Amino acid sequence: MTHLKLRPLTLSDREQATRAHQILLENDNFDFLLGDPTDFPALLEEHNRLAKGTDLPEGCVRSDLLVAEYEGRIVGRVSIRYELTGFLRVVGGHIGYAVLPDERRRGFAREILRLSLERLRESGVHKVLVTCSDDNVASRRIIEGAGGILENTYTMSDGTVKLRFWIDN
């Protein structure tokens, strides 16, 4: 899996990223782009500002939204948060990742998590919170495979149960 890379979105990603956004919203109710794809340049500007950690909106922390690219195509994405807010400490965690349905079961999620942990370690984050829904068996296995230790569960207002894992990084 050495050819998978994490990188920021660019304007040339508009078509692939918007398609990925639609697919994951329909299949998993997952917000791939963390924003409205109709104004893609503004979305990129927002993600660049978050990555720099400047002029952060209330309740936001420095974070990177990176696409996972393999052989020239976007196969997934990750959001890496370098600090935790109250909400992130409960259910969001330091890392939120997704792989497109057609690209699953190929090791991409494992590699996305590994590369994300590397970035956090390089930034001085050595205790990492990663969460997943209790019914996401594949994600649970990946997190545990990366050293994740289940701390507890959290039931959200909609009834979704989140598993909270800590990884010593």
Side-chain angles (χ1 to χ4, degrees):
M1 196 56 53
T2 56
H3 296 99
L4 182 113
K5 68 178 179 178
L6 300 181
R7 62 168 180 77
L9 281 165
T10 65
L11 276 175
S12 63
D13 293 321
R14 175 185 236 144
E15 185 180 325
Q16 276 193 75
T18 300
R19 185 174 36 89
H21 183 77
Q22 292 167 342
I23 290 168
L24 281 171
L25 271 180
E26 291 170 10
N27 284 283
D28 301 327
N29 197 30
F30 187 88
D31 186 354
F32 187 83
L33 290 171
L34 298 176
D36 182 4
T38 57
D39 189 352
F40 203 73
L43 183 70
L44 291 180
E45 189 176 304
E46 173 70 12
H47 287 307
N48 287 334
R49 191 163 30 103
L50 291 170
K52 290 176 186 167
T54 57
D55 300 321
L56 293 174
E58 178 91 19
C60 288
V61 297
R62 184 170 77 87
S63 60
D64 288 318
L65 179 82
L66 305 169
V67 292
E69 181 183 80
Y70 182 75
E71 295 183 347
R73 66 185 189 282
I74 293 174
V75 298
R77 74 94 161 139
V78 64
S79 178
I80 302 172
R81 281 84 61 156
Y82 296 93
E83 299 173 51
L84 296 177
T85 62
F87 173 78
L88 293 174
R89 184 166 293 287
V90 175
V91 292
H94 286 95
I95 299 171
Y97 60 89
V99 174
L100 292 165
D102 288 348
E103 303 289 355
R104 292 178 183 160
R105 304 183 66 95
R106 300 181 62 200
F108 293 134
R110 181 172 286 106
E111 185 67 0
I112 290 169
L113 181 57
R114 186 188 72 74
L115 292 170
S116 299
L117 289 167
E118 223 173 72
R119 286 178 87 97
L120 283 165
R121 187 172 34 257
E122 289 167 1
S123 293
V125 179
H126 300 290
K127 188 106 171 129
V128 178
L129 177 64
V130 185
T131 69
C132 69
S133 296
D134 70 337
D135 62 352
N136 191 339
V137 176
S139 191
R140 180 181 185 153
R141 285 186 183 140
I142 289 164
I143 295 166
E144 289 174 337
I149 303 296
L150 181 65
E151 178 181 59
N152 60 15
T153 63
Y154 179 82
T155 303
M156 300 184 53
S157 60
D158 67 359
T160 303
V161 176
K162 293 287 188 175
L163 305 176
R164 300 178 66 253
F165 296 88
W166 287 95
I167 298 173
D168 285 330
N169 196 30

